[in-house]
Amino acid sequence: MAKKENNYYYDTFTKCISYACEATALLQSCVNNYDISALKTELDKMHVIEHTADGAKHEMMERLMKEFLPP
């Protein structure tokens, strides 16, 4: 029998919060150092952060559904 990860949800929430902080820092940098020529690159970076965070959230939600909802 596999050992349960006691801190999985806490660790995942922490990871998602770090993605939110990373996105906030990028947005602040974009606003403070606005450069229209670099906007596409910055948007691509933001999209990568958002996509990664969404993946972590979906993984956690799938696990939550399996562990806490009856079949």
Side-chain angles (χ1 to χ4, degrees), residues 34-51:
Y34 185 75
D35 179 11
I36 191 76
S37 62
L39 194 55
K40 173 71 172 127
T41 305
E42 300 302 315
L43 285 174
D44 290 342
K45 288 179 189 177
M46 185 67 77
H47 181 74
V48 169
I49 295 168
E50 178 188 9
H51 183 71

Side-chain angles (χ1 to χ4, degrees), residues 25-39 42:
L26 179 61
L27 179 61
Q28 183 177 14
S29 172
C30 289
V31 170
N32 290 341
N33 307 311
Y34 185 75
D35 179 11
I36 191 76
S37 62
L39 194 55
E42 300 302 315

